[in-house]
Amino acid sequence: MKVKKNDNVVVLTGKDKKKTGKVIEVMPKLNKVVVEGVNVQTKSKKARSAQETSQFVKKEGPIDASNVLVICPVCNKATRVAHAEVDGKKVRVCKKCNAPLDGKFEKASKNAVKEEAPKKKATKKKKTENVEETEVKEVKKTSTRKKAVKTEPAEAENA
């Protein structure tokens, strides 16, 4: 599985769409994960003795692993997981910034990724030319819609 315990993930589908949380449990045989605060289910617990009280217990349920994406700790974006070889070991890697997602290699790569990341170019917004301004003389009300009557610019009337 590409998702491991203690990974931060974002949910892609379902009632908890766009929620983020930490993976509590991974079930590789079922291809499911349990995420903190996602797919919360309530169950009633009956009192077994006179000293106990009945109560509702909230518990996170499993969701399919294909419905989550790992959040890269370096670039803080949801990303698909790739595999690469770092120091002779196969490591999970962020597809967007090539930073390792596994604990030991994260700290060493954070500084390297920041140095390698290209700087964004500043973009200038194009100014739009002002089209002839029109004056609104009357506003006629018809049921629920308002219609504006446009006239020629003031300069054209004087000439």
Side-chain angles (χ1 to χ4, degrees):
M1 287 184 74
K2 296 185 179 190
V3 181
K4 291 187 178 181
K5 188 175 179 179
N6 295 327
D7 278 347
N8 285 323
V9 294
V10 62
V11 179
L12 300 176
T13 59
K15 64 180 181 182
D16 296 315
K17 185 177 182 176
K18 296 183 182 178
K19 281 190 180 178
T20 60
K22 191 175 184 180
V23 176
I24 301 170
E25 186 182 348
V26 179
M27 301 174 228
K29 288 184 180 178
L30 300 174
N31 195 36
K32 295 193 180 269
V33 292
V34 177
V35 181
E36 193 175 71
V38 174
N39 193 19
V40 178
Q41 301 166 345
T42 57
K43 180 180 177 182
S44 57
K45 183 179 176 187
K46 193 173 181 181
R48 298 290 175 187
S49 67
Q51 288 79 24
E52 292 181 10
T53 57
S54 298
Q55 59 185 357
F56 291 105
V57 178
K58 291 189 177 187
K59 183 180 176 185
E60 289 92 356
I63 59 173
D64 199 82
S66 65
N67 294 338
V68 297
L69 271 183
V70 177
I71 297 175
C72 175
V74 178
C75 62
N76 292 324
K77 294 181 182 176
T79 180
R80 289 170 38 208
V81 177
H83 293 279
E85 199 168 306
V86 177
D87 299 333
K89 292 191 175 187
K90 188 176 177 182
V91 180
R92 296 180 309 146
V93 177
C94 172
K95 281 247 185 181
K96 295 185 179 180
C97 67
N98 293 324
L101 299 173
D102 295 328
K104 297 175 187 176
F105 302 100
E106 278 181 35
K107 295 174 185 173
S109 66
K110 281 185 181 179
N111 296 334
V113 171
K114 287 180 182 176
E115 293 170 6
E116 292 177 12
K119 294 181 180 177
K120 293 183 180 179
K121 294 180 181 178
T123 57
K124 294 181 180 178
K125 293 182 180 178
K126 294 181 181 178
K127 293 183 179 178
T128 56
E129 294 180 17
N130 291 337
V131 183
E132 293 180 13
E133 296 178 12
T134 57
E135 295 179 9
V136 178
K137 276 193 173 180
E138 297 178 23
V139 177
K140 295 181 181 178
K141 291 185 180 180
T142 57
S143 65
T144 58
R145 296 183 184 178
K146 293 182 179 179
K147 293 184 179 179
V149 178
K150 297 182 180 179
T151 61
E152 296 298 319
E155 296 174 0
E157 291 177 8
N158 296 337

